[in-house]
Amino acid sequence: MVQDDRFLLAAADQGVEYWALDAAVRHKTLEHHEGQVTRMAVSPNGDRIATASTDGRVRLYDASRGAPLLELTAEKDVVWSVAFSPDGTRLATASGNEVAAVWDLSSGRRLALFSGHTGGATDIRMLADGVTLVVTDREGRLHWWDLPTRRRLTPPMAAHAGSSWRMAIHPDGNILASAGDDGQAKVW
């Protein structure tokens, strides 16, 4: 489930149910995935919704109409997570085949590919600077990447015993929280 100031989204098998919070009624049902929906994200300005799926695809929708805008074949494995860049022009994806990627949403072209997320990349976030990516993996590590140079900023950091599946970043980009299978939430 995802909630921001405008929408509440919930995965519904192969689609997404979403509600406009100001209307308090079901707004749309998005049903275009062949696999199960694994994650959803709302763009910073609230005009688009991105969904990730076990079918290896990412779909982008117009939030007000529910109309499909773009489909990305991200990987041949499950896409576990999606995250918009702070300006909403790019989308980051984390996949079960140990790959994270960044996509240009105007062209649908993949801009960068990052590998080495042991056991699979499970979550991804782009910091407020728009160039730093943080990726979690099934070994409970945090990976910090620089988008312009496509290089690691630090060696992978041990964060959790077992997989780390979720992260959240404070809007100012200075605080990161991660959660893992070890039952712990950590603030960085």
Side-chain angles (χ1 to χ4, degrees), residues 55-67:
D55 65 9
R57 295 184 184 131
V58 172
R59 289 185 176 79
L60 192 67
Y61 299 91
D62 178 285
S64 63
R65 297 178 295 125

Side-chain angles (χ1 to χ4, degrees), residues 114-127:
F114 304 92
S115 60
H117 309 97
T118 307
T122 55
D123 201 2
I124 192 164
R125 293 290 178 269
M126 194 174 295
L127 297 186

Side-chain angles (χ1 to χ4, degrees), residues 10-187:
D13 298 323
Q14 295 172 324
V16 173
E17 301 277 340
Y18 74 102
W19 292 261
L21 293 179
D22 58 0
V25 295
R26 188 169 79 189
H27 189 59
K28 298 281 183 196
T29 301
L30 310 175
E31 296 181 17
H32 297 281
H33 282 283
E34 293 175 18
Q36 300 295 312
V37 173
T38 57
R39 197 72 59 88
M40 304 155 284
V42 178
S43 64
N45 67 1
D47 69 341
R48 290 166 294 160
I49 296 169
T51 61
S53 175
T54 59
D55 65 9
R57 295 184 184 131
V58 172
R59 289 185 176 79
L60 192 67
Y61 299 91
D62 178 285
S64 63
R65 297 178 295 125
L69 298 172
L70 180 67
E71 178 177 294
L72 306 171
T73 302
E75 302 303 329
K76 294 180 181 177
D77 201 341
V78 59
V79 179
W80 286 117
S81 185
V82 290
F84 283 95
S85 62
D87 65 3
T89 63
R90 292 165 289 153
L91 191 72
T93 59
S95 302
N97 64 347
E98 303 185 358
V99 169
V102 176
W103 304 80
D104 175 74
L105 292 177
S106 63
S107 68
R109 187 173 58 92
R110 185 166 59 192
L111 300 173
L113 187 68
F114 304 92
S115 60
H117 309 97
T118 307
T122 55
D123 201 2
I124 192 164
R125 293 290 178 269
M126 194 174 295
L127 297 186
D129 64 9
V131 297
T132 304
L133 296 174
V134 184
V135 182
T136 57
D137 70 20
R138 291 188 69 138
E139 297 237 327
R141 296 183 301 172
L142 296 175
H143 302 259
W144 299 79
W145 296 97
D146 179 64
L147 181 57
T149 65
R150 315 294 197 269
R151 293 190 177 160
R152 286 185 184 277
L153 293 171
T154 66
M157 299 169 47
H160 296 278
S163 298
S164 178
W165 288 95
R166 300 288 184 265
M167 287 185 294
I169 294 180
H170 189 276
D172 70 9
N174 293 321
I175 300 172
L176 169 77
S178 62
D181 283 349
D182 56 7
Q184 295 185 15
K186 295 185 177 180
V187 178

